[in-house]
Amino acid sequence: MSALKIQISHPTRDIQTLEAPFGVYMIGSDASNRIVLNDGSVEEAHAVLTLMEDESYIEDLMGAGIFVAGDRVQNRRRVFHGAPIQLGNYTILFGTEEELAPEKKPEPAVAAAPPPAAPEPFKPKSISRKITASQAVKQQIHSELVERLDLKRLSMSKLQEGELQTKIKTTLKEIISEIQGRLPAGLDPERLAKEIFDESVGLGPLEDLLADDSVTEIMVNGPSQVYVERSGKLILTDCSFINDTSVHSVIERIVSPIGRRIDESQPYVDARLADGSRVNAIIHPLSLIGPCITIRKFSKDPFKVQDLINFGTLTPDVAEFLRICVALKKNIIVSGGTGSGKTTLLNVLSSYLPSDERILTIEDAAELRLTQEHIIRLEARPANIEGRGAVTIRDLVKNALRMRPDRIVVGECRGSEALDMLQAMNTGHEGSLTTIHANTPRDALARLETMVLMAGMELPVKAIREQVGSAVHIICQISRFSDGSRKVSKITEVSGMEGDRLTLQDIFEFKQTGLDDTGKVLGETLPTGAVPTFIEEITVRGIPFDRSIFETQHVAGKWR
């Protein structure tokens, strides 16, 4: 049998003919479909056409309407070669080349060609039932914008960025003015133009969310679902993108300026915005709901110690003890779960570093914002498209030791670089700071041991623990509670070894007493009564401090 072909026709567009080997054909308006029909009358995932040698089927995925030879398809139906399949404004035929060839008719007498008709103004097509009116209109206007600008692509290629943006705004204004009277009720033309402009050259609906100081995290779950975190709670917004392609374009605009890439061979990426906000993106085929973006926003002005005290994250006594530990060049690990505030706390601890020391920061994606003058910032680099050129955190830690650092700050310790960090801490590079994912101080040490073993060195566990015991002095555990608040739940000292086991003693601990009527966590951070083993060192160094902060009846500078 001759090879099958698929023929696609539209009232206002040229007929398309595609080669059609046997298989499954997803049909819809989204760019991820095998057959893309995009004019607003077709759903993002509208139908599935299955072509087989003995029989073929068409299936309606969204209930939006499919007609075969004039009859509506109920769920799934067998179709035959040459039978017209109607989806929105499109007609699809499949069959051999001979079956699709038009019948020859007598040619009419030659007549004078009519004068060319004036171009008709843009008119929005019918709106599909499964997407909102605003989404459908935005999608159609965006398609029209791309089509009009593409006609002038050669001249526009010479424009500066500012001129290009002006051209886009002008074209958008023209398109919207043509359909002003036919916009869905309640749709503001100015806001519509802004949203389409932002998706064309900016970060789309994320622009307003990034400018909102009350939003601490943004989560894009495909084009039609955007959540934000406010005051520690997740809230579904009414923001949406035009389609998967729009989300993918936003991801490209984020990752390209910092030399990173995302495609089918590398379908996820960590990146950062210009203000240091952390970004993670993941796309098809790993994400089954469309491109996803997660943005951990950083405040425009970095949080200071007093800010965390005001938030209830730590107490004045805890802040004072941590200041003393940094001044004594104690190696500190900030431990906590995902989203608990480790990087924010690390930033605050870094503010205690003396301004007359040489500080090196090492990060996977640069997020820390230190205010000292003598800072060297290093950032890891992923492999290029050929799989070469990667520079890991471990490579940077090794190199940092040759750069005469007084302090080393590693944004997050998550792999074999833990071994090099421990060696640096044990060979004169004291006062280092880093973060680690763990739920308790004891878990943090266990995970540190595991990461050292990832370096491939055949070291006995006891030797690793001895290195950890001598290198790590303080573990600062930060936790996220049920009301969304973040608090330093424990300050723990690593006090040495007893046999094969590391010994820990808690210096401060948060005691939760309950919840109030609004669900807010009640409790306070109290000293345990334990005194750090290096208390005499504080006195010898002449560092002023109030020794009573370690006594159980002393809280936040007051006696209970």
Side-chain angles (χ1 to χ4, degrees):
M1 187 175 78
S2 302
L4 290 181
K5 295 183 181 295
I6 292 177
Q7 189 180 86
I8 304 169
S9 59
H10 186 280
T12 63
R13 300 179 184 177
D14 294 333
I15 293 176
Q16 289 181 273
T17 302
L18 312 173
E19 297 292 334
F22 297 124
V24 178
Y25 293 78
M26 289 289 295
I27 305 173
S29 61
D30 190 81
S32 61
N33 290 289
R34 197 167 178 182
I35 298 178
V36 179
L37 309 178
N38 188 358
D39 76 343
S41 67
V42 177
E43 293 285 356
E44 291 183 355
H46 198 114
V48 175
L49 175 63
T50 305
L51 300 182
M52 296 184 289
E53 187 171 1
D54 50 348
E55 54 189 26
S56 300
Y57 293 90
I58 187 76
E59 182 176 356
D60 190 347
L61 293 178
M62 305 293 291
I66 299 175
F67 296 85
V68 176
D71 295 327
R72 187 182 180 105
V73 173
Q74 301 296 332
N75 298 323
R76 191 167 186 257
R77 172 173 170 168
R78 185 175 179 182
V79 287
F80 300 91
H81 294 201
I85 304 170
Q86 188 76 32
L87 292 86
N89 296 323
Y90 291 87
T91 301
I92 296 177
L93 299 172
F94 72 95
T96 64
E97 189 169 359
E98 295 76 19
E99 291 170 336
L100 298 181
E103 295 181 10
K104 293 186 177 181
K105 298 180 180 179
E107 294 183 2
V110 177
E120 294 184 4
F122 169 64
K123 296 180 181 179
K125 307 294 189 304
S126 58
I127 294 171
S128 181
R129 294 188 297 110
K130 295 294 183 179
I131 59 176
T132 66
S134 61
Q135 282 180 304
V137 171
K138 277 173 62 177
Q139 184 167 326
Q140 293 169 36
I141 294 175
H142 188 272
S143 298
E144 181 72 10
L145 174 68
V146 171
E147 187 173 339
R148 291 194 186 186
L149 293 181
D150 191 55
L151 296 175
K152 303 170 184 178
R153 177 175 52 85
L154 294 178
S155 59
M156 287 182 61
S157 64
K158 301 177 183 179
L159 296 178
Q160 298 295 323
E161 183 178 354
E163 295 176 297
L164 180 58
Q165 292 184 5
T166 301
K167 189 71 177 176
I168 292 173
K169 288 180 179 178
T170 303
T171 308
L172 268 175
K173 187 176 180 181
E174 291 173 358
I175 295 172
I176 293 176
S177 66
E178 291 173 8
I179 61 170
Q180 182 96 29
R182 297 187 293 277
L183 288 175
L187 198 58
D188 181 17
E190 291 187 5
R191 179 169 180 79
L192 181 64
K194 180 184 182 303
E195 290 176 354
I196 298 173
F197 176 80
D198 286 343
E199 290 198 34
S200 301
V201 299
L203 301 185
L206 304 186
E207 294 281 359
D208 291 339
L209 298 178
L210 289 168
D212 186 346
D213 291 336
S214 68
V215 173
T216 54
E217 196 146 1
I218 302 169
M219 288 144 279
V220 179
N221 306 334
S224 58
Q225 193 180 69
V226 180
Y227 278 88
V228 298
E229 182 189 68
R230 283 192 176 97
S231 302
K233 298 294 184 181
L234 295 182
I235 300 169
L236 177 63
T237 71
D238 58 358
C239 298
S240 63
F241 289 82
I242 293 173
N243 49 31
D244 282 1
T245 305
S246 295
V247 186
H248 199 286
S249 297
V250 167
I251 296 173
E252 289 287 355
R253 292 189 196 108
I254 293 172
V255 304
S256 296
I258 61 172
R260 306 209 170 189
R261 64 186 179 87
I262 187 166
D263 49 42
E264 286 193 2
S265 63
Q266 179 63 47
Y268 57 89
V269 67
D270 288 318
R272 55 180 164 79
L273 299 179
D275 65 356
S277 296
R278 181 188 310 171
V279 180
N280 175 269
I282 186 166
I283 62 172
H284 181 80
L286 300 187
S287 171
L288 303 182
I289 63 170
C292 295
I293 309 173
T294 308
I295 301 177
R296 180 80 52 80
K297 278 183 61 182
F298 285 176
S299 62
K300 295 176 182 176
D301 298 317
F303 288 134
K304 299 179 175 58
V305 177
Q306 191 57 48
D307 294 320
L308 297 194
I309 293 174
N310 295 339
F311 297 153
T313 302
L314 45 75
T315 65
D317 288 348
V318 170
E320 175 65 9
F321 178 66
L322 292 174
R323 182 192 68 80
I324 292 169
C325 291
V326 174
L328 289 175
K329 286 196 166 185
K330 297 301 176 184
N331 297 318
I332 302 175
I333 291 178
V334 178
S335 168
T338 300
S340 58
K342 297 186 298 298
T343 303
T344 299
L345 182 56
L346 183 64
N347 239 333
V348 168
L349 291 180
S350 300
S351 68
Y352 289 136
L353 297 174
S355 58
D356 60 349
E357 292 185 346
R358 180 175 170 88
I359 304 167
L360 266 71
T361 67
I362 300 171
E363 301 172 82
D364 189 42
E367 301 167 354
L368 296 173
R369 292 183 288 177
L370 277 63
T371 56
Q372 292 85 345
E373 291 184 3
H374 198 167
I375 297 175
I376 309 298
R377 304 180 70 200
L378 306 179
E379 184 178 48
R381 185 179 69 186
N384 59 20
I385 197 167
E386 290 86 17
R388 302 175 182 173
V391 179
T392 65
I393 295 287
R394 186 177 188 187
D395 296 330
L396 294 178
V397 171
K398 289 179 179 177
N399 187 75
L401 302 181
R402 304 185 184 97
M403 297 178 68
R404 198 252 175 235
D406 290 311
R407 307 272 188 156
I408 299 175
V409 181
V410 178
E412 182 180 346
C413 209
R414 65 177 76 174
S416 57
E417 66 272 7
L419 175 60
D420 302 284
M421 272 291 298
L422 290 179
Q423 290 178 339
M425 291 173 176
N426 279 323
T427 54
H429 296 89
E430 299 170 325
S432 298
L433 306 172
T434 189
T435 70
I436 191 171
H437 275 81
N439 293 325
T440 66
R442 178 69 65 182
D443 289 345
L445 295 182
R447 188 152 187 265
L448 198 57
E449 292 176 15
T450 302
M451 290 190 293
V452 170
L453 292 172
M454 291 168 63
M457 305 291 289
E458 298 296 331
L459 297 173
V461 173
K462 185 175 181 180
I464 295 174
R465 286 180 183 167
E466 287 174 348
Q467 282 223 28
V468 171
S470 60
V472 179
H473 302 125
I474 296 293
I475 299 173
C476 184
Q477 184 72 36
I478 186 167
S479 304
R480 178 174 173 171
F481 288 80
S482 58
D483 61 351
S485 63
R486 282 93 166 168
K487 301 180 187 297
V488 172
S489 54
K490 280 186 181 181
I491 301 290
T492 303
E493 180 188 12
V494 182
S495 52
M497 292 274 295
E498 284 187 3
D500 291 342
R501 185 177 175 84
L502 288 165
T503 57
L504 306 178
Q505 67 167 354
D506 297 333
I507 308 298
F508 293 93
E509 184 174 6
F510 178 78
K511 297 287 188 181
Q512 182 175 345
T513 57
L515 300 172
D516 68 8
D517 295 338
T518 63
K520 182 178 179 181
V521 171
L522 300 176
E524 54 188 338
T525 302
L526 301 171
T528 62
V531 177
T533 57
F534 51 83
I535 191 167
E536 297 304 326
E537 188 180 343
I538 304 174
T539 305
V540 171
R541 291 281 300 273
I543 299 174
F545 83 106
D546 182 2
R547 189 173 184 138
S548 65
I549 65 174
F550 303 120
E551 298 181 18
T552 55
Q553 293 184 333
H554 184 268
V555 180
K558 298 179 182 179
W559 288 92
R560 294 168 62 85

